[in-house]
């Protein structure tokens, strides 16, 4: 059990069951994913994330205002701590050194970032920082662990701010800049592996790419339109896949953007019988996994456009998905 990516030849994918108060553990090491464990967590689990070494899984329980920390190296996997946070926790991110977890809390908590200290056993909630915003749908830590990027709006304007950037080199986050956006309702934030770009996608459509190293970050490119229901950045930071809201009675609509070249060009658009949902890339970027209703759908990303490689029935809907 020394390799958390594998256990008895298995490779793991995790997704949260919003209505089942559980996390499903799927073995994706074979041609078709299969369920190997179900872990009971808090009420209405949403976003979830693994640390860099894949030894821990952090699950935000939005309905019970808590975070569950799961040891993924044991058989079976088990919860090692559940910490109370503030009202309406949602977005979560882990720093590269695996010493801190950042969780955003929403309007009923007046807008705040919680920091969980992972250097002690059991982990503890170390600080609460009021922040510039109340609607948080995405967080990402820069690869050097110095900056935290948060998607959210101002306390008096939940539309126009697309990205807030915090210095996290100290014990509490310090606001560096809040960058005005071009689209409504920021939903996801990604930072590429080199830390050069920060990418924000929006619920009401669009992708903004920023120079993540600049102070304040500089908006470099804006593309896309349509209501976003899911997105994922490939591990190498080259491809961004966007899933758009399914028209009534229609197919799922998707676009793949090459974000290695700025400004962004036209995306590769394609359709699928499966409506978009929470999604994540495989470690090698060759597969994309998405929970669409009660189906875990695998896209072959080596095809142009991507094609459905397989799909298996699961218990949805999912609040989040990760590897």
């Amino acid at each position: 059990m020394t390799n958390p990516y594998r256990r008895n030849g298995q490779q793991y994918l995790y997704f949260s069951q919003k209505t089942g108060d559980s996390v499903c553990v799927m073995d994706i090491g074979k041609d078709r994913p299969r369920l190997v464990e179900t872990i009971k967590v808090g009420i209405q689990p949403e976003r979830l994330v693994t640390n860099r070494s894949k030894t821990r899984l952090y699950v935000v329980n939005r309905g019970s205002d808590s975070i569950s920390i799961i040891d993924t190296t044991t058989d079976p996997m088990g919860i090692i701590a559940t910490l109370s946070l503030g009202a309406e926790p949602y977005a979560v991110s882990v720093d590269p050194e695996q010493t801190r977890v950042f969780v955003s809390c929403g309007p009923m908590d007046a807008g705040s970032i919680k920091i969980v200290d992972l250097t002690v056993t059991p982990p503890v909630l170390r600080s609460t920082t009021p922040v510039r915003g109340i609607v948080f749908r995405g967080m990402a830590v820069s690869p050097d662990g110095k900056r935290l990027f948060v998607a959210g709006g101002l306390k008096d304007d939940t539309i126009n701010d697309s990205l807030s950037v915090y210095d996290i080199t100290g014990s509490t986050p310090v606001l560096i800049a809040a960058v005005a956006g071009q689209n409504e309702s920021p939903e996801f934030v990604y930072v590429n592996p080199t830390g050069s770009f920060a990418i924000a996608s929006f619920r009401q459509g669009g992708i903004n790419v920023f120079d993540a190293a600049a102070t304040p970050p500089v908006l470099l490119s804006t593309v896309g339109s349509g209501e976003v229901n899911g997105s994922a950045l490939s591990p190498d930071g080259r491809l961004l896949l966007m899933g758009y809201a399914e028209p009534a009675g229609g197919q799922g609509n998707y676009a793949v953007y090459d974000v290695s070249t700025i400004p962004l060009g036209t995306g590769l658009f394609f359709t699928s019988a499966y409506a978009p949902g929470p999604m994540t890339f495989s470690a090698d970027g060759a597969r994309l996994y998405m929970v669409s209703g009660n189906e875990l759908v695998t896209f072959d990303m080596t095809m142009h456009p991507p094609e459905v490689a397989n799909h298996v029935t699961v218990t949805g809907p999912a609040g989040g998905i990760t590897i």
Side-chain angles (χ1 to χ4, degrees), residues 160-173:
N160 290 327
D161 259 13
S162 65
L163 192 68
S164 295
V165 187
Y166 294 85
D167 181 336
I168 54 172
T169 57
S171 58
T172 59

Side-chain angles (χ1 to χ4, degrees), residues 196-214:
S196 57
F197 299 145
I199 304 163
S201 67
F202 297 83
R203 186 72 174 178
Q204 298 304 318
I207 305 163
N208 284 359
V209 182
F210 300 88
D211 180 343

Side-chain angles (χ1 to χ4, degrees), residues 92-135:
V92 60
S93 189
V94 185
D95 76 345
E97 299 303 316
Q98 307 179 141
T99 61
R100 294 176 293 175
V101 173
F102 300 88
V103 183
S104 66
C105 291
M108 292 186 67
D109 198 57
S112 65
I113 295 174
K114 312 291 183 178
I115 300 179
V116 177
D117 184 354
L118 304 177
T119 64
V120 295
T121 303
V124 297
L125 179 63
R126 193 63 75 185
S127 68
T128 298
T129 303
V131 296
R132 181 186 172 93
I134 57 173
V135 180

Side-chain angles (χ1 to χ4, degrees), residues 187-188 201-206 226-231 242-245:
E187 184 77 4
F188 299 94
S201 67
F202 297 83
R203 186 72 174 178
Q204 298 304 318
E227 184 178 346
V228 176
N229 272 15
S231 66
M242 304 284 287
Y244 297 99

Side-chain angles (χ1 to χ4, degrees), residues 32 34 40 47 58 60 87 100 116 172 176 192 196 206 229-230 234 238 255 272 275 278 285 304 315:
R32 293 177 63 82
R34 67 182 184 89
K40 199 72 174 177
R47 299 290 175 85
Y58 304 94
V60 172
R100 294 176 293 175
V116 177
T172 59
I176 296 173
N192 68 347
S196 57
N229 272 15
S234 62
R238 187 175 67 86
S272 169
H304 302 278
T315 302

